[in-house]
Amino acid sequence: MDKKISVSQIKEAAREAYEMFKTNTDGKNADYIPYLANIDKNLFGISICLMDGTLIQLGDSEYRFGIESVSKVHTAILALRQYGAEKLLQMIGADATGLPFNSIMAILLEKDHPSTPLVNAGAITADSMVQPIGDSAKKWDAIVANITDLCGSAPQLIDELYKSESATNFNNRSIAWLLKNYNRIYDDPDMSLDLYTRQCSLGITATQLSVCGATIANDGLNPVSKKQIFDGSLSPKITSLIATVGFYEHTGDWLYTSGIPAKTGVGGGVMGVMPGLFGISAFAPPIDSAGNSVKAQLAIKYIMNKLGLSIFNGDRVTITE
Ligand code: GLU
């Protein structure tokens, strides 16, 4: 079906979602990373970036929070840019694990590959693949430059978060060395883990994540900077990775109820990709038991349902003035 949605309808839906959920007190800040436990739990922001670069922003959309696992999408894109779609599938995989983000059992069950770059194991492997191999400083520069390209502006390291996470990431250390045992780390395991921990500690805003989502939705062309960041043929690959495991073990429930592929992080951020239409991000620190922001989920779901949008309904949607 052909369907038209106006920019003002999108603005209205976003405003309603913001007003409706801003006082919601469900969920709790991530407490296994000390820095995150102390962030103001009332922060709440929404940002939508349309294909012409128009931004719709509400609340704390310019607050810099820990990107955490949303950065797994960025590193997957960097690996895709450097290696191509086929090699990513061979070297990491593209399967949902159905298990928590930091599952060691998932690695034991699928010991031939770490499943997907969007869980901890696959993200650490993706960091090990970043070129140039063996040079931590240059790899880090490539990771930050790629995020800057995708978001249209630079992220900033939150040093306190990096220290806090480095001091407590024992589970991730086990993952890095277990992957080494299966020959699924392609550079030094400790270096790869450190790059992963550092990228999770980058500060980013909901506005920046909406621009990144829009770049994926727009076949790799950043609608704000107008730069072509990656080959358009990679967009469906990236969106499929996000769709299958973006909410970890709750991904099916998420897609069923929201209709939009999206990736979460324990810092409270969610980044959604609506192919050909927009990127959307919401941020609020309190998360549910699977590590997904409660208010960000409610807001994005509300907006999608209010506008009658879903990647599964086959509508040809045009956004009008
Ligand atoms: N840095 C966090 C970890 O690896 C990210 C987890 C997440 O955001 O899901 O534990």
Side-chain angles (χ1 to χ4, degrees):
M1 198 174 78
D2 285 317
K3 185 172 172 149
K4 286 192 171 37
I5 292 180
S6 67
V7 176
S8 47
Q9 272 177 293
I10 302 176
K11 280 188 186 155
E12 190 50 32
R15 174 157 306 285
E16 282 173 17
Y18 180 74
E19 293 302 332
M20 200 173 300
F21 302 119
K22 74 174 179 213
T23 51
N24 181 300
T25 54
D26 294 341
K28 171 163 155 312
N29 286 24
D31 53 10
Y32 75 103
I33 300 170
Y35 173 89
L36 296 179
N38 298 322
I39 300 285
D40 178 357
K41 61 180 188 334
N42 296 313
L43 289 162
F44 182 33
I46 301 173
S47 178
I48 301 173
C49 179
L50 306 181
M51 300 294 81
D52 63 357
T54 300
L55 283 168
I56 297 164
Q57 295 159 294
L58 288 137
D60 301 305
S61 59
E62 293 294 321
Y63 180 87
R64 268 183 199 278
F65 56 93
I67 187 171
E68 294 296 342
S69 281
V70 183
S71 70
K72 288 168 177 159
V73 176
H74 301 79
T75 320
I77 295 173
L78 181 55
L80 282 165
R81 288 173 79 178
Q82 294 188 337
Y83 291 79
E86 195 48 47
K87 273 236 167 300
L88 186 98
L89 191 62
Q90 286 163 14
M91 294 172 83
I92 301 182
D95 250 340
T97 64
L99 290 166
F101 63 92
N102 54 2
S103 174
I104 288 189
M105 179 136 45
I107 307 169
L108 297 171
L109 290 173
E110 288 209 52
K111 58 180 182 286
D112 57 334
H113 61 76
S115 302
T116 163
L118 300 196
V119 296
N120 287 21
I124 295 168
T125 299
D127 275 317
S128 79
M129 287 165 64
V130 172
Q131 294 163 8
I133 300 295
D135 188 330
S136 171
K138 288 213 172 83
K139 282 169 82 109
W140 177 244
D141 288 347
I143 290 167
V144 174
N146 176 60
I147 295 178
T148 305
D149 281 350
L150 290 164
C151 297
S153 57
Q156 263 166 30
L157 188 72
I158 305 173
D159 208 45
E160 204 187 325
L161 178 56
Y162 173 49
K163 289 202 181 93
S164 175
E165 211 159 322
S166 299
T168 51
N169 63 352
F170 311 114
N171 190 84
N172 286 343
R173 290 183 213 178
S174 314
I175 290 177
W177 283 96
L178 190 57
L179 289 170
K180 171 77 178 164
N181 184 52
Y182 292 127
N183 294 320
R184 287 293 169 176
I185 281 279
Y186 306 105
D187 205 333
D188 180 78
D190 286 330
M191 183 216 285
S192 308
L193 173 66
D194 178 58
L195 290 167
Y196 168 75
T197 311
R198 241 190 293 168
Q199 81 178 37
C200 285
S201 309
L202 286 169
I204 203 90
T205 66
T207 302
Q208 287 177 299
L209 288 184
S210 70
V211 175
C212 176
T215 303
I216 302 167
N218 198 31
D219 292 339
L221 178 74
N222 183 316
V224 173
S225 70
K226 312 286 180 213
K227 271 171 57 181
Q228 186 72 38
I229 309 304
F230 56 80
D231 192 275
S233 66
L234 295 177
S235 261
K237 306 294 181 204
I238 298 158
T239 311
S240 74
L241 289 171
I242 299 173
T244 43
V245 75
F247 274 70
Y248 306 122
E249 66 270 37
H250 293 314
T251 305
D253 286 352
W254 168 258
L255 265 187
Y256 187 92
T257 52
S258 73
I260 182 170
K263 181 73 198 84
T264 66
V266 289
V270 176
M271 176 180 81
V273 179
M274 193 61 199
L277 291 183
F278 54 72
I280 181 168
S281 175
F283 153 69
I287 55 175
D288 62 19
S289 58
N292 304 320
S293 169
V294 175
K295 280 199 270 208
Q297 291 182 73
L298 289 169
I300 295 175
K301 255 188 235 185
Y302 178 85
I303 294 167
M304 290 298 293
N305 289 315
K306 179 75 200 241
L307 296 173
L309 293 173
S310 165
I311 57 158
F312 298 110
N313 66 12
D315 286 342
R316 285 175 300 273
V317 183
T318 317
I319 297 181
T320 58
E321 283 298 304

